[in-house]
Amino acid sequence: MSTQYDVIVIGAGLGGLTAAAMLAKTGCKTLLVERNYGVGGAASTYKSGDLVVEASLHETSNPEDPVDPKHHILEDLGVLDKVAWVPTGSVYEARGGPLGPSFVLPEGFRDTRAALIERFPALRTGIGEVLSDMERIATGLGVLSRGRAAFDDPLAGLSALLKLGPVVSGWRGSLSERLQRAFGEDEAAKCALAANVLYWHDNPDTLWWILFAVAQGGYIASGSRYIQGGSQRLSNALARALRTAGGELVLHRRVTEILLDANGLPIGVAHEGKGGGRAEARGRVIVSNAAPAAVASMLPQTKRQAFSAPYAERPLSISLFSATFGIAQRPAEFGMAAYSTMLLPEWMRTLRDYRRGAAILAELPGEALPPIAVVNYSAIDSGLGGPPFPVSVVGADRLANWQDLDAASYEEKRDRWAKALVAGLDRVYPGFAGSVVSSVFSTASSISSYLNAPDGAVYGFAPTPPTGPIWQGSGRSPRTPVDRLFLASSYAGSGGYTGAILAGATAARHVLAALPVSKK
């Protein structure tokens, strides 16, 4: 006879880990099933030879700040102090494109105002207005996250809570629209404040201003942090919290079916190992840390269309490529001083030109490189060691850039792009190329395969403005068309690490509202 669980969680990414740990801590009998050998999903760190590779997390807003939306969640789970959150020194350095000479976006709204006004004195008024809006939005979400209610989505009620006043009239607007009002035609100022757009989207014209303000405002308000030793340590800490609370974790088992009763309600899951061996686990509620398309494939054929219908028209987020280079010498010897640097290519003339970035990788490399983020882990006490010293290069990508290639063509294209990126970095940091001793290059295809992410989408749904009334929030919810089946992935929140943790916590609160009182 199989064990009866209160909740079964599918997938041990940050959202699933957060939901499972929260539910186990409340006394729910919880099972977490993960298809890979380890937990974390994108929040993973691994070694390739002597090179330590950070799979995805390069920085996050500081969860030790009570204003940060993750603070109370991680504190309640007892994991906030289980990892070291290392300051990165600034949000980023940016150079090139419309910006030209280097600009450093500092931490703290006061210092950010001062730096922007010093660089763009004629825009003093616009700078003050846009930063004030960002500060209210970002800190307001931190206030909202302290609540223990099961909000319909992680951003629900944000505008009403903040009493945004004039911001409300433009709450559906894009990043481009908001920065146009603040900075007019000054593209350098726009790039100074939003050079890291590639961390969320590839089109400022369709990136929802509110979500950008939440994310970028969080970095500015609380500071940017890296997890010492790599993001795997946070994932492992959440897994320990789950087990300490009495929850169970099963690795290397892939959920193939979500079992429903005659009324269409979840009663458990079927899962199997790599070599087969089907088993079932029974549970009253199912939480999935997966894309809706992946969840639909686990449902009976007759239920898939109805389940998928609410998600059919929602565009998916961008994907990313991530190349990590092992450097024999410290990158500082080549002039790479900042932890995070946004390199904007010469062909960029406006912030909107980010739209071209991912498309460049459709072809073999030529003269044009995409906008990239360069992460120098040795600039801080990252715990990743060296030599070789890891340097990551990240940019927007699309699964279509790597499809319809045979294995040899795929490897050749990936190798040529790795060499093109090294050559590009060598132009900015002379001597870099001669110090590269190893490399690992992950494409949108790699991400799609490892994370089971449709189109390689790393942030769930595209962060575009919602279409419904303001009181309905962002429209991103853990609720699904199937009662007692919830999402705890980025598709239920705003994407990224903060978004995934918020989505997991919100899903857990929905589960507690759905279970009988005796199970809470």
Side-chain angles (χ1 to χ4, degrees):
M1 180 179 294
S2 61
T3 302
Q4 178 69 41
Y5 296 93
D6 296 319
V7 186
I8 298 174
V9 181
I10 304 169
L14 284 183
L17 285 165
T18 300
M22 286 185 67
L23 290 165
K25 187 177 179 183
T26 63
C28 294
K29 189 171 182 59
T30 304
L31 171 67
L32 175 57
V33 184
E34 166 57 43
R35 71 188 190 123
N36 290 311
Y37 284 102
V39 300
S44 302
T45 313
Y46 63 94
K47 291 193 73 175
S48 176
D50 293 331
L51 178 64
V52 180
V53 180
E54 175 58 70
S56 181
L57 176 68
H58 307 300
E59 57 187 355
T60 187
S61 53
N62 180 17
E64 294 178 304
D65 185 345
V67 170
D68 186 84
K70 303 184 294 296
H71 174 84
H72 295 281
I73 298 169
L74 297 179
E75 184 179 54
D76 288 350
L77 291 175
V79 302
L80 185 62
D81 60 353
K82 296 299 188 293
V83 299
W85 306 92
V86 181
T88 63
S90 64
V91 179
Y92 55 70
E93 175 188 349
R95 61 169 72 180
L99 256 177
S102 174
F103 173 81
V104 174
L105 188 71
E107 298 178 355
F109 275 98
R110 184 179 64 180
D111 289 345
T112 297
R113 284 186 181 90
L116 286 169
I117 290 171
E118 180 180 4
R119 181 72 175 261
F120 309 100
L123 299 177
R124 175 183 293 270
T125 299
I127 290 168
E129 290 175 351
V130 76
L131 290 180
S132 292
D133 287 351
M134 289 177 68
E135 187 170 14
R136 284 188 289 169
I137 293 168
T139 56
L141 181 60
V143 173
L144 181 67
S145 71
R146 299 176 200 177
R148 300 300 185 263
F151 291 105
D152 193 53
D153 78 61
L155 299 179
L158 177 61
S159 296
L161 173 72
L162 298 176
K163 297 181 173 61
L164 296 179
V167 178
V168 172
S169 63
W171 79 283
R172 284 195 185 92
S174 70
L175 173 62
S176 288
E177 291 168 337
R178 185 65 189 92
L179 295 187
Q180 183 70 25
R181 292 203 305 271
F183 302 148
E185 302 302 321
D186 195 321
E187 296 298 327
K190 296 174 186 177
C191 288
L193 184 60
N196 57 345
V197 163
L198 63 85
Y199 279 147
W200 302 290
H201 199 36
D202 62 350
N203 187 351
D205 289 347
T206 57
L207 172 56
W208 188 21
W209 154 245
I210 296 293
L211 286 184
F212 174 82
V214 166
Q216 192 78 317
Y219 283 131
I220 295 172
S222 302
S224 175
R225 298 292 185 270
Y226 179 71
I227 298 168
Q228 189 177 57
S231 61
Q232 188 69 58
R233 297 196 176 187
L234 174 60
S235 300
N236 291 346
L238 287 167
R240 286 194 297 271
L242 166 67
R243 289 178 166 132
T244 299
E248 297 178 39
L249 171 61
V250 176
L251 297 173
H252 204 219
R253 299 287 296 182
R254 182 173 65 91
V255 172
T256 56
E257 299 175 54
I258 295 174
L259 308 175
L260 306 180
D261 65 13
N263 297 315
L265 295 175
I267 56 173
V269 302
H271 55 88
E272 61 183 38
K274 187 175 181 179
R278 186 180 188 276
E280 293 186 3
R282 298 289 169 168
R284 300 171 57 84
V285 179
I286 308 298
V287 177
S288 181
N289 182 181
V295 178
S297 69
M298 302 174 196
L299 292 170
Q301 187 69 45
T302 56
K303 301 292 184 181
R304 293 177 185 177
Q305 184 174 356
F307 179 88
S308 300
Y311 310 109
E313 302 302 320
R314 294 190 177 184
L316 297 175
S317 80
I318 60 168
S319 190
L320 297 172
F321 71 82
S322 178
T324 300
F325 301 105
I327 311 300
Q329 300 163 260
R330 288 189 177 274
E333 296 182 29
F334 311 117
M336 191 181 291
Y339 171 77
S340 179
T341 303
M342 305 295 152
L343 295 182
L344 309 184
E346 293 181 2
W347 57 261
M348 278 190 67
R349 294 292 179 266
T350 70
L351 181 67
R352 299 174 71 185
D353 286 340
Y354 256 109
R355 295 174 299 180
R356 183 185 167 195
I360 290 178
L361 272 78
E363 306 295 336
L364 292 173
E367 294 185 2
L369 291 179
I372 56 175
V374 182
V375 184
N376 172 19
Y377 296 99
S378 66
I380 62 173
D381 185 18
S382 68
L384 299 192
F389 301 99
V391 173
S392 289
V393 179
V394 182
D397 197 5
R398 295 174 183 157
L399 182 60
N401 292 338
W402 304 92
Q403 288 181 314
D404 301 323
L405 297 174
D406 59 36
S409 298
Y410 177 88
E411 293 296 334
E412 179 189 5
K413 182 177 179 180
R414 187 170 62 170
D415 182 62
R416 289 178 66 172
W417 268 109
K419 291 177 179 177
L421 291 170
V422 169
L425 288 176
D426 194 69
R427 289 192 289 272
V428 180
Y429 307 106
F432 181 89
S435 190
V436 174
V437 295
S438 58
S439 67
V440 173
F441 196 146
S442 297
T443 68
S445 179
S446 310
I447 290 173
S448 178
S449 175
Y450 179 67
L451 298 181
N452 194 24
D455 286 350
V458 290
Y459 300 128
F461 293 117
T464 54
T467 57
I470 191 169
W471 56 83
Q472 290 182 358
S474 70
R476 297 162 173 83
S477 173
R479 292 184 181 275
T480 75
V482 176
D483 287 344
R484 300 200 330 235
L485 172 58
F486 299 97
L487 295 179
S489 61
S490 291
Y491 293 86
S494 59
Y497 284 77
T498 298
I501 290 170
L502 278 174
T506 306
R509 292 165 186 160
H510 276 292
V511 170
L512 294 174
L515 286 171
V517 174
S518 62
K519 295 296 182 184
K520 295 180 184 178

